[in-house]
Amino acid sequence: MSEHRANHDTRERILDVAERLFMENGYEATSMRLITGAAEVNLAAVNYHFGSKEALLREVFRRRLEWLNRERLAALDRLEQQAAGGPLKPSQILEAFFGTLLRMGEDESLGGMTFLRLLGRTLTEPAEFIRTFFAGEYEQVIDRYKLALFRALPDVPRAEIVWRLHFMLGAMSYAIAGTDVLQVVTGCGLRDLAGEGSAEGEPGDNVVARRLARRLMPFLLGGLRAPLPQPDDTSGQTQHRTPPAKR
Amino acid sequence: MSEHRANHDTRERILDVAERLFMENGYEATSMRLITGAAEVNLAAVNYHFGSKEALLREVFRRRLEWLNRERLAALDRLEQQAAGGPLKPSQILEAFFGTLLRMGEDESLGGMTFLRLLGRTLTEPAEFIRTFFAGEYEQVIDRYKLALFRALPDVPRAEIVWRLHFMLGAMSYAIAGTDVLQVVTGCGLRDLAGEGSAEGEPGDNVVARRLARRLMPFLLGGLRAPLPQPDDTSGQTQHRTPPAKR
DNA sequence: CTAAGATTAAAACGAACGTTTGAACGAGTC
DNA sequence: GACTCGTTCAAACGTTCGTTTTAATCTTAG
């Protein structure tokens, strides 16, 4: 019982607890005392190991995004290599980008649905240090996937692709956040996405993530390949291309 | 028991300032002193007029959502009346639901893009009182639109429609939040969605809202009408396009 | 006018915040 | 033993939080 903890034990436990509490309450509403209390470590431990509360949040994300970024780039590498210079199919690109993320929700050692929910909820946080952090973490990956989509959809204006990537990220972000504020899903008797209070018979997180992936992916693909909008007079930029999108 | 102009002035100014500051900083990070300072009213004015900080946030939303809910229901009423009992087209339903909202972004007297951004950012806030508030405010409208979609897409399982409504709400929420944390859009030289610091030549908010609507709507419609996902073995509930979901 | 009530103003409340301090502890080395 | 180094600990730091209190000011009816 009265064993002393290993050096890195405290660090890891703080990260795990902070990940969960930041997800449940948000960054601002989660105090250091709440984190250290739940982690059963001293209040000063956070500042000792991480330097500040901001740095703690960054580290919570860094340890997960490191894996995610590497895996996303590797998935794209594999696809491009097997395509031998040709363009990829949009479905392949989306599978590599979103599928890799959603697979984290099935793996508890990668953060599971806790991290996915945290990510989705944090992507809309307005705090400056959060936004600059994410911008830096994501820059490389986003750029590579943008280029892949440009090549995969050569007939679609690039600005349009960028916008649709933005929309897809939004749908995914909101879906994995899983708050369902409007009770669209949870108000229907389907409790798939509800995160809190697992009664008996509730599906495990890995099942939740898999169901979500299976339903989200066709939606995203349908949105990406939807007919292009009509050009609008009030807009400065004009696009003369006719939509080749298929259904 | 009579009207006081000063009263009206202070109340409205607090609401306007709070709307903007909650949008810029989030609820937790916006202090009463920041609000009352920017509104040039006394610190105690918020508690006097609204009772508490939570009640202030609710009132900020209530005065906008009252119009939005009424307008959304009226738009659906018009469609159903002109359809004379027949089912509506999905595009009509989406136009009524999302178009009504996006039109608020063009009208400064309805809050403009400031309120739209606030709404998008608040829909993912985890605070309990916010979630219960939104659930109550949206319940009626969501239910009516759900039913309209069920009738418009009789061959699609209801659970699937609900999920796609959820995804559409997410894409819209993220798009109107306009944070673009990953710099997907803003990193491309397109500054359409960037909210802060309007230099000369920046498009006005009404233009931003219109461009957004024209691009978001086809995306949502494409996602809604995408091919259904394959049934999954790991999931308990398997449904092809035949079974009519219960309700 | 005055009285009453509604609104604003200034000051203080206790609690909670993130962070810092300096001493104490434990394990390894000489 | 004494020494070091990395870590943990209790306590306090100064600040800011949302809210309350009490008095002053304004508006309006009688």
Side-chain angles (χ1 to χ4, degrees):
Chain A
M1 284 298 183
S2 51
E3 297 272 312
H4 70 89
R5 295 193 285 263
N7 296 350
H8 65 297
D9 203 19
T10 300
R11 251 187 75 103
E12 286 286 307
R13 192 156 63 252
I14 290 175
L15 287 175
D16 288 339
V17 168
E19 186 173 63
R20 180 173 57 84
L21 292 179
F22 282 147
M23 179 271 286
E24 290 175 355
N25 315 316
Y27 173 75
E28 297 285 352
T30 303
S31 69
M32 307 275 277
R33 286 166 176 83
L34 192 63
I35 296 172
T36 55
E40 294 178 289
V41 301
N42 190 268
L43 171 60
V46 170
N47 285 286
Y48 174 77
H49 283 284
F50 303 98
S52 69
K53 191 186 174 187
E54 290 193 3
L56 169 62
L57 180 70
R58 274 193 293 264
E59 183 58 25
V60 164
F61 277 101
R62 210 200 46 74
R63 73 168 174 166
R64 305 292 185 198
L65 293 183
E66 193 172 277
W67 182 92
L68 178 62
N69 284 335
R70 182 160 20 90
E71 207 63 24
R72 273 176 165 166
L73 291 177
L76 199 54
D77 284 339
R78 278 195 301 271
L79 287 177
E80 290 179 339
Q81 182 180 352
Q82 103 186 28
L88 306 180
K89 288 165 57 181
S91 61
Q92 291 178 304
I93 301 175
L94 296 197
E95 170 59 34
F97 189 83
F98 296 102
T100 303
L101 174 69
L102 291 168
R103 229 164 291 125
M104 290 183 84
E106 305 174 22
D107 193 335
E108 217 59 43
S109 72
L110 298 174
M113 284 301 292
T114 301
F115 173 71
L116 248 58
R117 293 194 184 99
L118 173 64
L119 180 63
R121 293 170 193 190
T122 311
L123 282 179
T124 53
E125 288 261 344
E128 193 56 36
F129 85 95
I130 295 179
R131 299 177 52 176
T132 58
F133 170 72
F134 272 106
E137 285 284 321
Y138 265 90
E139 193 178 14
Q140 282 188 14
V141 178
I142 291 284
D143 269 0
R144 287 237 9 220
Y145 273 86
K146 258 191 215 166
L147 291 179
L149 283 174
F150 291 162
R151 292 193 59 205
L153 301 164
D155 295 332
V156 181
R158 295 192 168 191
E160 204 63 44
I161 294 177
V162 168
W163 277 97
R164 295 194 171 180
L165 176 57
H166 194 241
F167 296 148
M168 290 190 291
L169 283 167
M172 180 215 63
S173 172
Y174 191 87
I176 65 176
T179 55
D180 193 21
V181 177
L182 312 183
Q183 301 202 289
V184 173
V185 177
T186 49
C188 255
L190 318 171
R191 302 279 306 170
D192 304 38
L193 206 54
E196 64 272 54
S198 61
E200 190 194 49
E202 288 263 339
D205 271 356
N206 52 347
V207 177
V208 173
R210 196 164 315 173
R211 288 186 192 174
L212 180 59
R214 206 180 65 257
R215 307 188 115 135
L216 179 58
M217 217 65 90
F219 176 87
L220 298 179
L221 199 57
L224 177 61
R225 299 197 291 203
L228 295 182
Q230 302 299 329
D232 186 283
D233 298 340
T234 67
S235 167
Q237 56 187 105
T238 57
Q239 48 201 26
H240 309 87
R241 198 170 284 285
T242 27
K246 63 168 201 133
R247 263 204 50 82
Chain B
M1 47 196 187
S2 33
E3 309 88 344
H4 292 83
R5 175 162 284 279
N7 166 13
H8 181 270
D9 256 7
T10 300
R11 255 188 74 100
E12 285 286 306
R13 193 154 67 251
I14 290 175
L15 286 174
D16 288 339
V17 168
E19 185 172 64
R20 180 173 57 84
L21 292 179
F22 283 147
M23 180 271 285
E24 290 175 355
N25 314 315
Y27 173 76
E28 297 284 351
T30 303
S31 69
M32 309 273 280
R33 286 166 177 84
L34 192 63
I35 296 172
T36 55
E40 295 179 293
V41 301
N42 189 268
L43 171 60
V46 170
N47 284 289
Y48 175 78
H49 284 285
F50 303 98
S52 69
K53 190 186 175 187
E54 290 193 4
L56 169 62
L57 180 70
R58 274 193 294 263
E59 184 58 24
V60 164
F61 276 102
R62 209 198 48 74
R63 73 169 175 166
R64 305 290 186 201
L65 294 183
E66 192 172 274
W67 181 92
L68 178 63
N69 284 334
R70 182 162 17 91
E71 208 64 25
R72 273 176 165 167
L73 291 177
L76 199 53
D77 284 338
R78 280 194 299 273
L79 288 177
E80 290 180 339
Q81 183 179 351
Q82 106 186 27
L88 306 180
K89 288 166 57 181
S91 62
Q92 291 178 303
I93 302 175
L94 296 197
E95 169 59 34
F97 189 83
F98 296 102
T100 302
L101 174 69
L102 291 168
R103 228 164 291 124
M104 291 183 83
E106 306 174 21
D107 193 335
E108 215 59 43
S109 72
L110 298 175
M113 283 302 291
T114 300
F115 172 71
L116 249 56
R117 292 195 183 98
L118 173 65
L119 180 62
R121 291 170 194 192
T122 311
L123 282 179
T124 54
E125 288 261 345
E128 192 56 35
F129 85 95
I130 295 180
R131 299 177 53 175
T132 58
F133 170 73
F134 272 107
E137 285 285 320
Y138 265 91
E139 193 179 13
Q140 282 188 14
V141 178
I142 290 284
D143 269 1
R144 286 237 10 222
Y145 273 86
K146 258 192 214 167
L147 290 179
L149 284 174
F150 291 162
R151 292 193 58 204
L153 301 164
D155 295 333
V156 181
R158 295 192 167 188
E160 203 63 46
I161 295 178
V162 168
W163 276 98
R164 295 194 171 181
L165 176 58
H166 194 240
F167 297 149
M168 290 190 290
L169 283 167
M172 180 214 62
S173 172
Y174 190 88
I176 65 176
T179 56
D180 194 20
V181 176
L182 311 184
Q183 301 202 288
V184 173
V185 177
T186 50
C188 254
L190 318 171
R191 301 278 307 169
D192 305 37
L193 206 55
E196 63 272 54
S198 60
E200 190 191 52
E202 289 262 339
D205 270 357
N206 51 346
V207 178
V208 173
R210 196 164 316 174
R211 287 187 192 174
L212 180 58
R214 206 181 66 258
R215 307 191 115 132
L216 179 58
M217 218 65 90
F219 176 87
L220 297 180
L221 200 57
L224 176 61
R225 299 197 292 203
L228 295 182
Q230 302 296 332
D232 186 279
D233 299 342
T234 67
S235 166
Q237 53 183 74
T238 58
Q239 49 200 11
H240 219 251
R241 36 169 68 237
T242 33
K246 72 212 180 322
R247 200 195 123 75

